[in-house]
Amino acid sequence: MSKPIRVRYAPSPTGLLHIGNARTALFNYLYARHHDGTFIIRIEDTDRERHVEDGERSQLENLRWLGIDWDESPETHDQYRQSERLAIYQQYVDELLAKGLAYKSYVTKEELEAERERQEQAGETPRYINEYLGMSDEEKAAYVAEREAAGIVPTVRLAVNEAGIYKWTDMVKGDIAIEGSNVGGDWVIQKADGYPTYNFAVVIDDHLMEISHVIRGDDHIANTPKQLMVYEALGWEAPEFGHMTLIINSETGKKLSKRDTNTLQFIEDYRKKGYLPEAVFNFIALLGWNPGGEEEIFSREDFIKLFDENRLSKSPAAFDQKKMDWMSGEYIKAADLETIVALCTPYLEAAGRLTDKSDKLIALYKPQLSSADEIVALTDLFFTDFPALGEAEAAFMAGETVPTVLASFKEKIAELADADFTPETISAQVKAVQKDTGVKGKNLFMPIRIAVSGQMHGPELPDTIYLLGKEKALAHIEQVLTSL
């Protein structure tokens, strides 16, 4: 590395932190930390129409929740928001105007739309046609005077070298070259409201902040030649670029869409549902990058040590919600009980289900959780009426030995004193039923589980019966026996 590594994540505060943007932030973070570089947060807030109040706070708060930290940001440095840098941008707009590399454009939105419609109807590729084309100096002066008299506020456009070839060696995709004629003509670098456009401001910011590498999604590839034009016009060296592949829905194979309601796409969603941030970090870090080998669970420190930009995938990254849930479940299993109790308790409290046995209920279902909010549905058995048996459960309960097993078990736990009603003694009574009836295996355990919980599968049976309580367990068994 010939120069210091400085990378940035530059969100627009136009909404919540999306999984794709979180991946961009995370990969830049890992790249900086792996190479002992600097990771910068810059806020690109020049799109005033889409600006969301509190959007910046939401971005930073959710990045922190994920476990990402940074070295420079609007919290530590002045003018790290684009809205605070308008005078800086104006300086370079003026420089390009003075050099004749940019010009004021007085075409109205209505005229642009009409020309675009004409081009589309004619089967032409939509592009801006220089409004001064064919005009003499006198005609240009008269045109400008007329437009200004009409109160039209100009934009500023960069004069594109359409014969130019804009190429770079992409960190992910290799050599890329795009002709200047393919960017749609001279493009706006400053809007009529005085704000710079994205492709202009980002170059000024990246240059002045000495950004060495720009790592972003490949939807930005079309922006790169425009940005290279600005570097060229200002005589600056461009940073290295790396464009990560799209994230696709693993089920549809299509680009991840906000309409995919079965997929949690915003970091806020994971926070609200009670995922462990370490699990979400781990999952996102493997979207389009892999360390090699079969292992999939890594700590943040592992990722920093292992991160290699040469292993960024050239194929689309498949977002699989089931895999996210599996990974989260692995993290919850590995976490200490105190952490998971703290994570689950607010959900039980909101559902009105906090009791003196809440910690034990959470411990019972901890191996089944992929997110803390699931604790509410999992504990329905303990707070609602006995559920109607499903088709598979009802079919199993038609077995010949089921009444014998249930009657025996009911009798044995009914004889237990309340003080003796513990998981250990309950387990002993199940073994006693086996001895008395000669029934064993699935035909012994399954009828008891279904009769008590209404389900064929669940956590440890003695613990479930203990937490359900003697009275409720007997009532459930009696209810099932009566229906047989």
Side-chain angles (χ1 to χ4, degrees):
M1 304 290 176
S2 58
K3 57 183 178 180
I5 300 297
R6 288 176 60 83
V7 295
R8 47 75 170 176
Y9 170 60
S12 298
T14 55
L16 298 174
L17 180 59
H18 186 265
I19 201 90
N21 291 334
R23 181 185 68 163
T24 297
L26 192 149
F27 282 1
N28 276 279
Y29 164 78
L30 291 176
Y31 186 76
R33 294 290 175 261
H34 179 78
H35 291 292
D36 295 323
T38 302
F39 178 49
I40 297 163
I41 301 286
R42 185 177 71 225
I43 303 298
E44 298 185 344
D45 59 349
T46 57
D47 190 345
R48 307 311 292 175
E49 291 182 2
R50 296 175 60 226
H51 185 86
V52 173
E53 197 66 34
D54 217 27
E56 178 182 324
R57 181 204 59 77
S58 173
Q59 287 274 339
L60 299 183
E61 186 178 280
N62 283 298
L63 288 174
R64 282 198 178 96
W65 179 81
L66 272 176
I68 294 174
D69 59 86
W70 45 88
D71 305 298
E72 301 173 13
S73 76
E75 300 168 323
T76 59
H77 288 65
D78 292 334
Q79 296 187 328
Y80 270 47
R81 298 181 185 90
Q82 286 187 335
S83 60
E84 301 167 345
R85 300 170 60 81
L86 298 184
I88 297 173
Y89 305 132
Q90 189 64 55
Q91 172 188 340
Y92 293 103
V93 169
D94 293 342
E95 179 181 329
L96 293 177
L97 285 170
K99 289 180 177 178
L101 298 174
Y103 61 90
K104 293 182 179 180
S105 170
Y106 292 86
V107 179
T108 65
K109 287 183 179 180
E110 293 75 19
E111 289 170 330
L112 288 171
E113 288 172 5
E115 175 61 19
R116 187 175 295 110
E117 287 181 13
R118 183 201 68 74
Q119 291 172 350
E120 288 176 351
Q121 290 174 4
E124 301 172 8
T125 301
R127 60 187 291 106
Y128 165 76
I129 305 297
N130 190 315
E131 64 212 84
Y132 298 104
L133 199 62
M135 290 186 187
S136 65
D137 290 344
E138 293 78 10
E139 288 171 330
K140 287 181 183 178
Y143 168 79
V144 170
E146 177 189 341
R147 293 275 160 154
E148 290 187 344
I152 296 174
V153 180
T155 60
V156 177
R157 291 180 180 270
L158 185 73
V160 170
N161 174 15
E162 298 208 350
I165 304 293
Y166 297 90
K167 54 188 177 181
W168 70 97
T169 300
D170 197 274
M171 295 166 65
V172 180
K173 299 179 179 297
D175 292 336
I176 298 177
I178 298 176
E179 296 179 5
S181 58
N182 289 332
V183 302
D186 300 343
W187 52 277
V188 174
I189 62 174
Q190 186 179 48
K191 295 175 280 189
D193 62 5
Y195 277 79
T197 56
Y198 165 75
N199 281 313
F200 182 71
V202 73
V203 170
I204 308 302
D205 295 339
D206 284 346
H207 175 74
L208 296 181
M209 294 181 183
E210 301 180 333
I211 299 303
S212 62
H213 297 74
V214 173
I215 304 171
R216 56 192 179 185
D218 67 2
D219 52 332
H220 280 284
I221 286 179
N223 290 324
T224 307
K226 289 186 174 182
Q227 293 167 20
L228 289 174
M229 290 174 185
V230 179
Y231 281 107
E232 179 182 71
L234 291 169
W236 294 341
E237 180 185 355
E240 292 188 44
F241 292 97
H243 292 90
M244 300 172 290
T245 56
L246 290 173
I247 300 175
I248 61 172
N249 185 311
S250 63
E251 294 183 1
T252 65
K254 296 179 180 179
K255 179 181 177 181
L256 198 61
S257 167
K258 293 176 183 178
R259 293 188 293 274
D260 294 333
T261 55
N262 293 328
T263 302
L264 298 179
Q265 297 191 41
F266 295 95
I267 302 305
E268 192 76 26
D269 294 334
Y270 291 98
R271 293 182 65 186
K272 288 179 178 177
K273 287 180 66 63
Y275 283 75
L276 286 171
E278 299 90 340
V280 183
F281 185 108
N282 193 152
F283 178 74
I284 296 174
L286 296 177
L287 285 175
W289 179 85
N290 76 82
E294 300 299 320
E295 190 66 39
E296 294 188 289
I297 304 295
F298 299 94
S299 69
R300 179 174 61 164
E301 292 70 27
D302 290 335
F303 278 115
I304 290 171
K305 181 179 179 181
L306 293 168
F307 190 77
D308 178 355
E309 62 276 13
N310 296 310
R311 296 193 67 87
L312 286 167
S313 176
K314 293 178 172 60
S315 303
F319 186 100
D320 185 342
Q321 187 66 54
K322 291 178 182 176
K323 184 173 181 179
M324 172 72 252
D325 291 342
W326 165 81
M327 187 172 286
S328 180
E330 293 300 300
Y331 270 85
I332 288 176
K333 287 174 190 173
D336 60 83
L337 180 58
E338 184 179 358
T339 297
I340 304 308
V341 167
L343 200 63
C344 291
T345 296
Y347 300 95
L348 289 175
E349 184 175 14
R353 294 185 176 183
L354 271 186
T355 71
D356 59 351
K357 292 183 177 180
S358 290
D359 288 11
K360 291 184 173 62
L361 275 177
I362 294 168
L364 182 67
Y365 286 101
K366 180 173 177 278
Q368 293 179 244
L369 291 170
S370 59
S371 58
D373 67 332
E374 293 177 346
I375 193 65
V376 175
L378 287 171
T379 57
D380 277 349
L381 169 68
F382 300 91
F383 299 97
T384 60
D385 293 336
F386 185 74
L389 295 185
E391 189 174 323
E393 286 81 7
F396 194 93
M397 296 302 269
E400 182 180 351
T401 60
V402 168
T404 303
V405 168
L406 292 184
S408 175
F409 185 68
K410 176 189 172 186
E411 179 182 343
K412 292 186 183 304
I413 64 170
E415 293 174 352
L416 288 174
D418 290 345
D420 294 330
F421 195 76
T422 66
E424 293 74 23
T425 55
I426 293 167
S427 180
Q429 301 314 306
V430 173
K431 292 177 181 176
V433 171
Q434 176 182 337
K435 185 177 181 180
D436 289 353
T437 64
V439 180
K440 57 185 178 179
K442 183 191 294 186
N443 289 327
L444 170 66
F445 294 101
M446 193 68 79
I448 297 174
R449 180 179 291 283
I450 294 173
V452 171
S453 70
Q455 299 174 342
M456 297 180 74
H457 307 285
E460 291 294 327
L461 182 57
D463 292 323
T464 301
I465 296 171
Y466 163 70
L467 289 172
L468 189 62
K470 179 179 173 181
E471 183 179 342
K472 202 166 187 178
L474 288 169
H476 286 184
I477 295 168
E478 178 60 34
Q479 184 177 336
V480 171
L481 276 170
T482 302
S483 68
L484 294 179

